[in-house]
Amino acid sequence: MSHSAKIRKKPNLRVKIISMGNAETGKSCIIKRYCEKRFVNKYLATIGIDYGVTKVTLKERDIKVNIFDMAGHPLFYEVRNEFYKDTQGAILVYDVSDRSSFEALDRWMEELNSEIGNKSEVDSIVVCVCANKTDLRRQVDESEGQLWADARGFHFFETSALSGDGVNEMFQALFEGVVKTCENGGKREPIATQLGYTKEQIDAIQRLKNAKNDYERLGLGPGASKDDVNKSYRKLAVLLHPDKSVAPGSEEAFKLLVAARTALLKRC
Ligand code: GTP
Ligand code: MG
């Protein structure tokens, strides 16, 4: 027996990937960036569905990837709903410059759930959440997207189809996840990254960033005393100190916290 015959090559795989997310979030552009290495500036809405095939090699195994790129517009629901079945991987895209597209993510998961109609099948789908258009002015912080994805056991990537940032890494994780799931007999591997931070930390970071004044930043009403300011400062400092907190945005929030305390103490 020849040497090569002894090494049993793993069979090639065929996988099915879909795209989900509101219209104009950049689903088609992310796919185009990955498959054709280019970006189209003009918006050409997907009509119903676009189908494409690409090949990747992972762990010495050739994988044929069938990509079903869905139209995000509600008008096309009747067309795209046919294509959810047998999905193994999904990119779920929102646009960081459009908050409503982030808020729509739950509705997309509802659509996926109701079309597939079988919880264990849905749970076996590897999902990559793409926070796209990071080259634009944002309305959604990275930490919010990360938290949403972590809470559901999904991968999270910040991407820009325009610059290409994050796109290859995202597809790599998606394909690796799908192949592992196949090797696991259809059971999705839990994602290795542990949260490592709490919702309380995220909420505090959000408040520090979005508050209209220094009192609000410290969670105090106007006319709070020196004591109140220091108490509130200490509580938040323990929560957000960059040496202790791994929550995204801690460092920036901590600086805002220190500046707010300094300004308020001058006033008290
Ligand atoms: P539907 O097919 O209608 O569901 O939309 P889609 O999600 O496929 O969006 P598409 O990829 O067609 O992109 C929509 C618009 O956003 C286009 O004008 C793109 O040029 C633009 N776009 C996509 N990705 C990016 C990005 O990363 N940065 C910027 N600045 N623009 C982007
Ligand atoms: Mg499209």
Side-chain angles (χ1 to χ4, degrees), residues 74-104:
L75 208 67
F76 295 114
Y77 167 71
E78 294 294 341
V79 183
R80 67 172 182 259
N81 67 0
E82 309 261 330
F83 293 90
Y84 281 108
K85 58 178 182 293
D86 301 325
T87 293
Q88 290 154 293
I91 64 170
L92 176 56
V93 184
Y94 68 92
D95 169 353
V96 297
S97 73
D98 169 18
R99 197 162 183 93
S100 65
S101 70
F102 174 64
E103 281 159 3

PDB file of all heavy atoms in Angstrom, residues 74-104:
ATOM      1  N   PRO A  74     -38.491  44.010   3.649  1.00  0.00           N
ATOM      2  CA  PRO A  74     -39.660  43.204   4.017  1.00  0.00           C
ATOM      3  C   PRO A  74     -40.459  42.701   2.803  1.00  0.00           C
ATOM      4  O   PRO A  74     -41.060  41.633   2.845  1.00  0.00           O
ATOM      5  CB  PRO A  74     -40.530  44.171   4.838  1.00  0.00           C
ATOM      6  CG  PRO A  74     -39.622  45.259   5.278  1.00  0.00           C
ATOM      7  CD  PRO A  74     -38.477  45.321   4.315  1.00  0.00           C
ATOM      8  N   LEU A  75     -40.431  43.472   1.746  1.00  0.00           N
ATOM      9  CA  LEU A  75     -41.121  43.110   0.513  1.00  0.00           C
ATOM     10  C   LEU A  75     -40.749  41.727   0.003  1.00  0.00           C
ATOM     11  O   LEU A  75     -41.539  41.046  -0.638  1.00  0.00           O
ATOM     12  CB  LEU A  75     -40.707  44.145  -0.543  1.00  0.00           C
ATOM     13  CG  LEU A  75     -41.654  44.475  -1.673  1.00  0.00           C
ATOM     14  CD1 LEU A  75     -42.885  45.172  -1.106  1.00  0.00           C
ATOM     15  CD2 LEU A  75     -40.951  45.415  -2.663  1.00  0.00           C
ATOM     16  N   PHE A  76     -39.520  41.301   0.302  1.00  0.00           N
ATOM     17  CA  PHE A  76     -39.029  40.049  -0.273  1.00  0.00           C
ATOM     18  C   PHE A  76     -39.165  38.858   0.665  1.00  0.00           C
ATOM     19  O   PHE A  76     -38.615  37.806   0.398  1.00  0.00           O
ATOM     20  CB  PHE A  76     -37.563  40.206  -0.703  1.00  0.00           C
ATOM     21  CG  PHE A  76     -37.384  41.190  -1.808  1.00  0.00           C
ATOM     22  CD1 PHE A  76     -36.703  42.373  -1.601  1.00  0.00           C
ATOM     23  CD2 PHE A  76     -37.927  40.939  -3.067  1.00  0.00           C
ATOM     24  CE1 PHE A  76     -36.545  43.292  -2.623  1.00  0.00           C
ATOM     25  CE2 PHE A  76     -37.777  41.849  -4.098  1.00  0.00           C
ATOM     26  CZ  PHE A  76     -37.087  43.033  -3.878  1.00  0.00           C
ATOM     27  N   TYR A  77     -39.920  39.057   1.748  1.00  0.00           N
ATOM     28  CA  TYR A  77     -40.067  37.963   2.703  1.00  0.00           C
ATOM     29  C   TYR A  77     -40.550  36.676   2.025  1.00  0.00           C
ATOM     30  O   TYR A  77     -40.023  35.590   2.274  1.00  0.00           O
ATOM     31  CB  TYR A  77     -41.016  38.376   3.839  1.00  0.00           C
ATOM     32  CG  TYR A  77     -41.449  37.211   4.663  1.00  0.00           C
ATOM     33  CD1 TYR A  77     -40.538  36.587   5.507  1.00  0.00           C
ATOM     34  CD2 TYR A  77     -42.739  36.685   4.546  1.00  0.00           C
ATOM     35  CE1 TYR A  77     -40.908  35.477   6.235  1.00  0.00           C
ATOM     36  CE2 TYR A  77     -43.111  35.573   5.269  1.00  0.00           C
ATOM     37  CZ  TYR A  77     -42.200  34.970   6.111  1.00  0.00           C
ATOM     38  OH  TYR A  77     -42.562  33.863   6.807  1.00  0.00           O
ATOM     39  N   GLU A  78     -41.537  36.827   1.139  1.00  0.00           N
ATOM     40  CA  GLU A  78     -42.129  35.645   0.483  1.00  0.00           C
ATOM     41  C   GLU A  78     -41.124  34.887  -0.377  1.00  0.00           C
ATOM     42  O   GLU A  78     -41.296  33.714  -0.654  1.00  0.00           O
ATOM     43  CB  GLU A  78     -43.325  36.057  -0.391  1.00  0.00           C
ATOM     44  CG  GLU A  78     -44.504  36.600   0.390  1.00  0.00           C
ATOM     45  CD  GLU A  78     -45.158  35.555   1.282  1.00  0.00           C
ATOM     46  OE1 GLU A  78     -44.942  34.345   1.048  1.00  0.00           O
ATOM     47  OE2 GLU A  78     -45.867  35.969   2.229  1.00  0.00           O
ATOM     48  N   VAL A  79     -40.105  35.580  -0.843  1.00  0.00           N
ATOM     49  CA  VAL A  79     -39.084  34.899  -1.654  1.00  0.00           C
ATOM     50  C   VAL A  79     -38.050  34.252  -0.750  1.00  0.00           C
ATOM     51  O   VAL A  79     -37.724  33.073  -0.893  1.00  0.00           O
ATOM     52  CB  VAL A  79     -38.383  35.884  -2.624  1.00  0.00           C
ATOM     53  CG1 VAL A  79     -37.389  35.137  -3.500  1.00  0.00           C
ATOM     54  CG2 VAL A  79     -39.388  36.648  -3.457  1.00  0.00           C
ATOM     55  N   ARG A  80     -37.542  35.039   0.233  1.00  0.00           N
ATOM     56  CA  ARG A  80     -36.404  34.512   1.001  1.00  0.00           C
ATOM     57  C   ARG A  80     -36.814  33.419   1.986  1.00  0.00           C
ATOM     58  O   ARG A  80     -35.985  32.584   2.337  1.00  0.00           O
ATOM     59  CB  ARG A  80     -35.647  35.641   1.704  1.00  0.00           C
ATOM     60  CG  ARG A  80     -36.404  36.335   2.801  1.00  0.00           C
ATOM     61  CD  ARG A  80     -35.541  37.303   3.598  1.00  0.00           C
ATOM     62  NE  ARG A  80     -36.348  37.878   4.641  1.00  0.00           N
ATOM     63  CZ  ARG A  80     -36.906  39.089   4.607  1.00  0.00           C
ATOM     64  NH1 ARG A  80     -36.722  39.878   3.577  1.00  0.00           N
ATOM     65  NH2 ARG A  80     -37.654  39.524   5.598  1.00  0.00           N
ATOM     66  N   ASN A  81     -38.077  33.402   2.408  1.00  0.00           N
ATOM     67  CA  ASN A  81     -38.445  32.428   3.448  1.00  0.00           C
ATOM     68  C   ASN A  81     -38.239  30.975   3.014  1.00  0.00           C
ATOM     69  O   ASN A  81     -38.083  30.095   3.820  1.00  0.00           O
ATOM     70  CB  ASN A  81     -39.865  32.678   3.970  1.00  0.00           C
ATOM     71  CG  ASN A  81     -40.918  32.419   2.932  1.00  0.00           C
ATOM     72  OD1 ASN A  81     -40.605  32.048   1.799  1.00  0.00           O
ATOM     73  ND2 ASN A  81     -42.175  32.627   3.307  1.00  0.00           N
ATOM     74  N   GLU A  82     -38.195  30.738   1.712  1.00  0.00           N
ATOM     75  CA  GLU A  82     -37.966  29.389   1.180  1.00  0.00           C
ATOM     76  C   GLU A  82     -36.536  28.901   1.437  1.00  0.00           C
ATOM     77  O   GLU A  82     -36.267  27.716   1.304  1.00  0.00           O
ATOM     78  CB  GLU A  82     -38.105  29.421  -0.352  1.00  0.00           C
ATOM     79  CG  GLU A  82     -39.358  30.071  -0.859  1.00  0.00           C
ATOM     80  CD  GLU A  82     -40.386  29.033  -1.213  1.00  0.00           C
ATOM     81  OE1 GLU A  82     -39.972  27.930  -1.609  1.00  0.00           O
ATOM     82  OE2 GLU A  82     -41.588  29.325  -1.051  1.00  0.00           O
ATOM     83  N   PHE A  83     -35.633  29.827   1.723  1.00  0.00           N
ATOM     84  CA  PHE A  83     -34.216  29.476   1.681  1.00  0.00           C
ATOM     85  C   PHE A  83     -33.568  29.247   3.048  1.00  0.00           C
ATOM     86  O   PHE A  83     -32.379  29.038   3.136  1.00  0.00           O
ATOM     87  CB  PHE A  83     -33.437  30.547   0.905  1.00  0.00           C
ATOM     88  CG  PHE A  83     -33.794  30.562  -0.549  1.00  0.00           C
ATOM     89  CD1 PHE A  83     -34.826  31.362  -1.022  1.00  0.00           C
ATOM     90  CD2 PHE A  83     -33.134  29.722  -1.441  1.00  0.00           C
ATOM     91  CE1 PHE A  83     -35.178  31.348  -2.363  1.00  0.00           C
ATOM     92  CE2 PHE A  83     -33.483  29.707  -2.782  1.00  0.00           C
ATOM     93  CZ  PHE A  83     -34.511  30.529  -3.246  1.00  0.00           C
ATOM     94  N   TYR A  84     -34.369  29.306   4.098  1.00  0.00           N
ATOM     95  CA  TYR A  84     -33.771  29.131   5.429  1.00  0.00           C
ATOM     96  C   TYR A  84     -33.395  27.683   5.738  1.00  0.00           C
ATOM     97  O   TYR A  84     -32.452  27.428   6.481  1.00  0.00           O
ATOM     98  CB  TYR A  84     -34.729  29.651   6.508  1.00  0.00           C
ATOM     99  CG  TYR A  84     -34.720  31.163   6.658  1.00  0.00           C
ATOM    100  CD1 TYR A  84     -35.790  31.938   6.222  1.00  0.00           C
ATOM    101  CD2 TYR A  84     -33.647  31.813   7.250  1.00  0.00           C
ATOM    102  CE1 TYR A  84     -35.790  33.323   6.363  1.00  0.00           C
ATOM    103  CE2 TYR A  84     -33.633  33.198   7.401  1.00  0.00           C
ATOM    104  CZ  TYR A  84     -34.712  33.941   6.960  1.00  0.00           C
ATOM    105  OH  TYR A  84     -34.693  35.301   7.105  1.00  0.00           O
ATOM    106  N   LYS A  85     -34.162  26.755   5.172  1.00  0.00           N
ATOM    107  CA  LYS A  85     -33.956  25.358   5.585  1.00  0.00           C
ATOM    108  C   LYS A  85     -32.556  24.846   5.223  1.00  0.00           C
ATOM    109  O   LYS A  85     -31.972  25.267   4.231  1.00  0.00           O
ATOM    110  CB  LYS A  85     -35.053  24.450   5.017  1.00  0.00           C
ATOM    111  CG  LYS A  85     -35.172  24.467   3.530  1.00  0.00           C
ATOM    112  CD  LYS A  85     -36.262  23.502   3.081  1.00  0.00           C
ATOM    113  CE  LYS A  85     -36.376  23.449   1.575  1.00  0.00           C
ATOM    114  NZ  LYS A  85     -36.852  24.657   0.949  1.00  0.00           N
ATOM    115  N   ASP A  86     -32.052  23.944   6.058  1.00  0.00           N
ATOM    116  CA  ASP A  86     -30.734  23.305   5.874  1.00  0.00           C
ATOM    117  C   ASP A  86     -29.544  24.251   5.997  1.00  0.00           C
ATOM    118  O   ASP A  86     -28.438  23.938   5.561  1.00  0.00           O
ATOM    119  CB  ASP A  86     -30.641  22.586   4.512  1.00  0.00           C
ATOM    120  CG  ASP A  86     -31.703  21.531   4.364  1.00  0.00           C
ATOM    121  OD1 ASP A  86     -32.027  20.896   5.389  1.00  0.00           O
ATOM    122  OD2 ASP A  86     -32.228  21.350   3.251  1.00  0.00           O
ATOM    123  N   THR A  87     -29.790  25.422   6.585  1.00  0.00           N
ATOM    124  CA  THR A  87     -28.688  26.371   6.779  1.00  0.00           C
ATOM    125  C   THR A  87     -27.724  25.868   7.854  1.00  0.00           C
ATOM    126  O   THR A  87     -28.156  25.383   8.891  1.00  0.00           O
ATOM    127  CB  THR A  87     -29.261  27.739   7.210  1.00  0.00           C
ATOM    128  OG1 THR A  87     -29.992  28.263   6.116  1.00  0.00           O
ATOM    129  CG2 THR A  87     -28.173  28.705   7.594  1.00  0.00           C
ATOM    130  N   GLN A  88     -26.415  25.997   7.585  1.00  0.00           N
ATOM    131  CA  GLN A  88     -25.427  25.612   8.607  1.00  0.00           C
ATOM    132  C   GLN A  88     -24.699  26.807   9.214  1.00  0.00           C
ATOM    133  O   GLN A  88     -24.173  26.738  10.310  1.00  0.00           O
ATOM    134  CB  GLN A  88     -24.407  24.661   7.976  1.00  0.00           C
ATOM    135  CG  GLN A  88     -25.003  23.311   7.669  1.00  0.00           C
ATOM    136  CD  GLN A  88     -24.261  22.653   6.535  1.00  0.00           C
ATOM    137  OE1 GLN A  88     -24.297  23.106   5.398  1.00  0.00           O
ATOM    138  NE2 GLN A  88     -23.542  21.597   6.862  1.00  0.00           N
ATOM    139  N   GLY A  89     -24.654  27.894   8.441  1.00  0.00           N
ATOM    140  CA  GLY A  89     -23.982  29.088   8.957  1.00  0.00           C
ATOM    141  C   GLY A  89     -24.696  30.341   8.474  1.00  0.00           C
ATOM    142  O   GLY A  89     -25.282  30.347   7.392  1.00  0.00           O
ATOM    143  N   ALA A  90     -24.675  31.380   9.299  1.00  0.00           N
ATOM    144  CA  ALA A  90     -25.349  32.615   8.902  1.00  0.00           C
ATOM    145  C   ALA A  90     -24.509  33.823   9.265  1.00  0.00           C
ATOM    146  O   ALA A  90     -23.873  33.848  10.324  1.00  0.00           O
ATOM    147  CB  ALA A  90     -26.710  32.705   9.583  1.00  0.00           C
ATOM    148  N   ILE A  91     -24.497  34.819   8.370  1.00  0.00           N
ATOM    149  CA  ILE A  91     -23.973  36.114   8.782  1.00  0.00           C
ATOM    150  C   ILE A  91     -25.184  37.006   9.045  1.00  0.00           C
ATOM    151  O   ILE A  91     -26.109  37.080   8.243  1.00  0.00           O
ATOM    152  CB  ILE A  91     -22.977  36.746   7.764  1.00  0.00           C
ATOM    153  CG1 ILE A  91     -23.636  37.076   6.436  1.00  0.00           C
ATOM    154  CG2 ILE A  91     -21.800  35.819   7.519  1.00  0.00           C
ATOM    155  CD1 ILE A  91     -22.737  37.907   5.510  1.00  0.00           C
ATOM    156  N   LEU A  92     -25.188  37.603  10.220  1.00  0.00           N
ATOM    157  CA  LEU A  92     -26.306  38.440  10.647  1.00  0.00           C
ATOM    158  C   LEU A  92     -25.750  39.864  10.759  1.00  0.00           C
ATOM    159  O   LEU A  92     -24.939  40.146  11.636  1.00  0.00           O
ATOM    160  CB  LEU A  92     -26.831  37.915  11.985  1.00  0.00           C
ATOM    161  CG  LEU A  92     -27.937  38.703  12.674  1.00  0.00           C
ATOM    162  CD1 LEU A  92     -29.139  38.881  11.759  1.00  0.00           C
ATOM    163  CD2 LEU A  92     -28.390  37.970  13.945  1.00  0.00           C
ATOM    164  N   VAL A  93     -26.166  40.700   9.825  1.00  0.00           N
ATOM    165  CA  VAL A  93     -25.479  41.979   9.639  1.00  0.00           C
ATOM    166  C   VAL A  93     -26.312  43.155  10.135  1.00  0.00           C
ATOM    167  O   VAL A  93     -27.518  43.217   9.883  1.00  0.00           O
ATOM    168  CB  VAL A  93     -25.149  42.188   8.135  1.00  0.00           C
ATOM    169  CG1 VAL A  93     -24.356  43.474   7.923  1.00  0.00           C
ATOM    170  CG2 VAL A  93     -24.382  40.991   7.581  1.00  0.00           C
ATOM    171  N   TYR A  94     -25.666  44.077  10.864  1.00  0.00           N
ATOM    172  CA  TYR A  94     -26.281  45.385  11.084  1.00  0.00           C
ATOM    173  C   TYR A  94     -25.276  46.461  10.712  1.00  0.00           C
ATOM    174  O   TYR A  94     -24.094  46.177  10.491  1.00  0.00           O
ATOM    175  CB  TYR A  94     -26.802  45.539  12.520  1.00  0.00           C
ATOM    176  CG  TYR A  94     -25.765  45.603  13.616  1.00  0.00           C
ATOM    177  CD1 TYR A  94     -25.253  46.827  14.048  1.00  0.00           C
ATOM    178  CD2 TYR A  94     -25.311  44.444  14.237  1.00  0.00           C
ATOM    179  CE1 TYR A  94     -24.306  46.900  15.080  1.00  0.00           C
ATOM    180  CE2 TYR A  94     -24.372  44.506  15.260  1.00  0.00           C
ATOM    181  CZ  TYR A  94     -23.883  45.725  15.674  1.00  0.00           C
ATOM    182  OH  TYR A  94     -22.950  45.792  16.680  1.00  0.00           O
ATOM    183  N   ASP A  95     -25.791  47.690  10.635  1.00  0.00           N
ATOM    184  CA  ASP A  95     -24.988  48.827  10.192  1.00  0.00           C
ATOM    185  C   ASP A  95     -24.735  49.695  11.433  1.00  0.00           C
ATOM    186  O   ASP A  95     -25.695  50.178  12.048  1.00  0.00           O
ATOM    187  CB  ASP A  95     -25.821  49.547   9.109  1.00  0.00           C
ATOM    188  CG  ASP A  95     -25.264  50.915   8.709  1.00  0.00           C
ATOM    189  OD1 ASP A  95     -24.314  51.394   9.348  1.00  0.00           O
ATOM    190  OD2 ASP A  95     -25.808  51.488   7.757  1.00  0.00           O
ATOM    191  N   VAL A  96     -23.472  49.854  11.831  1.00  0.00           N
ATOM    192  CA  VAL A  96     -23.185  50.582  13.080  1.00  0.00           C
ATOM    193  C   VAL A  96     -23.616  52.050  13.013  1.00  0.00           C
ATOM    194  O   VAL A  96     -23.745  52.713  14.035  1.00  0.00           O
ATOM    195  CB  VAL A  96     -21.684  50.517  13.503  1.00  0.00           C
ATOM    196  CG1 VAL A  96     -21.249  49.095  13.789  1.00  0.00           C
ATOM    197  CG2 VAL A  96     -20.782  51.180  12.479  1.00  0.00           C
ATOM    198  N   SER A  97     -23.871  52.559  11.789  1.00  0.00           N
ATOM    199  CA  SER A  97     -24.292  53.951  11.667  1.00  0.00           C
ATOM    200  C   SER A  97     -25.817  54.077  11.656  1.00  0.00           C
ATOM    201  O   SER A  97     -26.353  55.167  11.457  1.00  0.00           O
ATOM    202  CB  SER A  97     -23.696  54.579  10.409  1.00  0.00           C
ATOM    203  OG  SER A  97     -24.347  54.092   9.254  1.00  0.00           O
ATOM    204  N   ASP A  98     -26.505  52.951  11.843  1.00  0.00           N
ATOM    205  CA  ASP A  98     -27.977  52.971  11.812  1.00  0.00           C
ATOM    206  C   ASP A  98     -28.514  52.100  12.942  1.00  0.00           C
ATOM    207  O   ASP A  98     -28.586  50.881  12.832  1.00  0.00           O
ATOM    208  CB  ASP A  98     -28.447  52.458  10.442  1.00  0.00           C
ATOM    209  CG  ASP A  98     -29.944  52.196  10.409  1.00  0.00           C
ATOM    210  OD1 ASP A  98     -30.681  52.708  11.284  1.00  0.00           O
ATOM    211  OD2 ASP A  98     -30.377  51.443   9.512  1.00  0.00           O
ATOM    212  N   ARG A  99     -28.888  52.764  14.034  1.00  0.00           N
ATOM    213  CA  ARG A  99     -29.306  52.046  15.234  1.00  0.00           C
ATOM    214  C   ARG A  99     -30.467  51.085  14.984  1.00  0.00           C
ATOM    215  O   ARG A  99     -30.553  50.012  15.566  1.00  0.00           O
ATOM    216  CB  ARG A  99     -29.685  53.080  16.295  1.00  0.00           C
ATOM    217  CG  ARG A  99     -29.736  52.500  17.603  1.00  0.00           C
ATOM    218  CD  ARG A  99     -29.683  53.324  18.804  1.00  0.00           C
ATOM    219  NE  ARG A  99     -29.687  52.326  19.839  1.00  0.00           N
ATOM    220  CZ  ARG A  99     -28.594  51.819  20.375  1.00  0.00           C
ATOM    221  NH1 ARG A  99     -27.425  52.277  20.047  1.00  0.00           N
ATOM    222  NH2 ARG A  99     -28.680  50.871  21.264  1.00  0.00           N
ATOM    223  N   SER A 100     -31.386  51.482  14.107  1.00  0.00           N
ATOM    224  CA  SER A 100     -32.575  50.639  13.898  1.00  0.00           C
ATOM    225  C   SER A 100     -32.183  49.278  13.307  1.00  0.00           C
ATOM    226  O   SER A 100     -32.874  48.286  13.525  1.00  0.00           O
ATOM    227  CB  SER A 100     -33.599  51.345  13.009  1.00  0.00           C
ATOM    228  OG  SER A 100     -33.059  51.516  11.723  1.00  0.00           O
ATOM    229  N   SER A 101     -31.067  49.230  12.581  1.00  0.00           N
ATOM    230  CA  SER A 101     -30.667  47.935  12.012  1.00  0.00           C
ATOM    231  C   SER A 101     -30.140  46.999  13.111  1.00  0.00           C
ATOM    232  O   SER A 101     -30.251  45.780  13.004  1.00  0.00           O
ATOM    233  CB  SER A 101     -29.628  48.123  10.900  1.00  0.00           C
ATOM    234  OG  SER A 101     -28.386  48.543  11.425  1.00  0.00           O
ATOM    235  N   PHE A 102     -29.569  47.585  14.176  1.00  0.00           N
ATOM    236  CA  PHE A 102     -29.135  46.786  15.327  1.00  0.00           C
ATOM    237  C   PHE A 102     -30.359  46.301  16.105  1.00  0.00           C
ATOM    238  O   PHE A 102     -30.453  45.139  16.507  1.00  0.00           O
ATOM    239  CB  PHE A 102     -28.212  47.619  16.217  1.00  0.00           C
ATOM    240  CG  PHE A 102     -27.819  46.961  17.514  1.00  0.00           C
ATOM    241  CD1 PHE A 102     -27.065  45.809  17.520  1.00  0.00           C
ATOM    242  CD2 PHE A 102     -28.217  47.517  18.733  1.00  0.00           C
ATOM    243  CE1 PHE A 102     -26.704  45.189  18.722  1.00  0.00           C
ATOM    244  CE2 PHE A 102     -27.861  46.909  19.930  1.00  0.00           C
ATOM    245  CZ  PHE A 102     -27.108  45.742  19.921  1.00  0.00           C
ATOM    246  N   GLU A 103     -31.301  47.204  16.268  1.00  0.00           N
ATOM    247  CA  GLU A 103     -32.518  46.840  17.007  1.00  0.00           C
ATOM    248  C   GLU A 103     -33.346  45.786  16.276  1.00  0.00           C
ATOM    249  O   GLU A 103     -34.181  45.125  16.874  1.00  0.00           O
ATOM    250  CB  GLU A 103     -33.349  48.103  17.285  1.00  0.00           C
ATOM    251  CG  GLU A 103     -32.756  48.864  18.463  1.00  0.00           C
ATOM    252  CD  GLU A 103     -33.143  50.330  18.514  1.00  0.00           C
ATOM    253  OE1 GLU A 103     -33.928  50.775  17.661  1.00  0.00           O
ATOM    254  OE2 GLU A 103     -32.612  51.031  19.410  1.00  0.00           O
ATOM    255  N   ALA A 104     -33.096  45.622  14.980  1.00  0.00           N
ATOM    256  CA  ALA A 104     -33.852  44.639  14.189  1.00  0.00           C
ATOM    257  C   ALA A 104     -33.301  43.216  14.324  1.00  0.00           C
ATOM    258  O   ALA A 104     -33.919  42.269  13.841  1.00  0.00           O
ATOM    259  CB  ALA A 104     -33.851  45.054  12.720  1.00  0.00           C
TER     260      ALA A 104
END
